Amino acid sequence: MTRKTKRPAGSARISKPQYYLNIAKEVARRSTCLRRHYGAVIVNNDQIVSTGYAGAPRRTANCTEIGSCVREELGVPKGEHYEWCRAVHAEQNAVIHAARFDMIGSTLYLVGVSPQTGEVVEGAEPCRICKRMIINAGIEAVYIETAPGRFRVQRAADWIKSNLNELKRARGRWLPVMPKGY
């Protein structure tokens, strides 16, 4: 005999995207970056394939241990000069720790959190290098939390179609678009 249990009022079941975004937010708590805590979860066929958070390469000093961030000290704006950062991005770590076969057709869930306020980072999205890695890994979509309980979806196919907004066509040729700050 099966008994049905009613869910208490106000405790509606969360959606699958929110479930995985909540896991990504928890993964972000492992970040060692002083500037932003990011967490990523790669899911395929409703199975978690890999997770990653922003942090220094294995067995190297991280910014939490050092107590400073070069990009912060130099006042580098968001999205510029990632090569000066000690951290491997959350998306990169998640991709590195999974087999491509398991990622083909998958979805990546990404959450950025401010270490100072604990609030979700508005306007978070994968950087140019992470987008390239996501495309090559075979990941089809990226869900990004924009506020508690809210998210937007970016499709790798759209990045491919637009050439990652890195090129423009002029006089029948592809020309590079210089990123901000260069």
Side-chain angles (χ1 to χ4, degrees):
M1 186 166 143
T2 307
R3 294 175 69 192
K4 287 188 177 182
T5 307
K6 287 192 175 183
R7 202 175 277 281
S11 65
R13 188 173 189 204
I14 61 172
S15 67
K16 283 282 175 92
Q18 193 58 58
Y19 168 71
Y20 292 121
L21 288 166
N22 288 351
I23 293 170
K25 189 182 292 182
E26 191 64 26
V27 171
R29 293 180 55 176
R30 290 281 304 152
S31 293
T32 59
C33 175
L34 295 174
R35 199 167 189 174
R36 293 281 189 266
H37 291 177
Y38 274 84
V41 176
I42 298 173
V43 177
N44 202 352
N45 295 320
D46 239 357
Q47 192 71 42
I48 294 174
V49 172
S50 182
T51 66
Y53 56 86
R58 292 181 192 276
R59 296 182 301 279
T60 67
N62 63 58
C63 295
T64 302
E65 294 168 337
I66 296 167
S68 65
C69 169
V70 171
R71 292 178 70 231
E72 277 292 311
E73 289 178 6
L74 297 174
V76 176
K78 176 185 178 277
E80 295 179 21
H81 296 293
Y82 284 119
E83 69 275 14
W84 296 346
C85 180
R86 291 203 47 76
V88 177
H89 291 182
E91 308 94 315
Q92 293 169 340
N93 273 320
V95 167
I96 288 166
H97 296 112
R100 184 172 190 276
F101 178 81
D102 293 332
M103 292 186 285
I104 294 173
S106 67
T107 302
L108 187 143
Y109 296 86
L110 180 67
V111 177
V113 178
S114 165
Q116 292 78 23
T117 67
E119 298 293 318
V120 170
V121 175
E122 288 186 37
E125 72 172 74
C127 73
R128 294 174 128 196
I129 294 169
C130 287
K131 286 179 181 179
R132 293 176 193 144
M133 290 181 72
I134 288 166
I135 290 168
N136 275 4
I139 296 168
E140 290 184 355
V142 178
Y143 282 66
I144 305 166
E145 186 158 341
T146 56
R150 301 182 60 91
F151 59 86
R152 71 178 185 283
V153 181
Q154 294 185 356
R155 305 253 174 236
D158 293 336
W159 297 340
I160 294 166
K161 191 175 183 179
S162 71
N163 278 299
L164 294 165
N165 294 318
E166 295 175 350
L167 301 171
K168 66 179 178 181
R169 212 169 221 346
R171 296 187 203 128
R173 295 181 51 216
W174 287 109
L175 299 174
V177 175
M178 292 305 287
K180 289 184 331 185
Y182 287 91

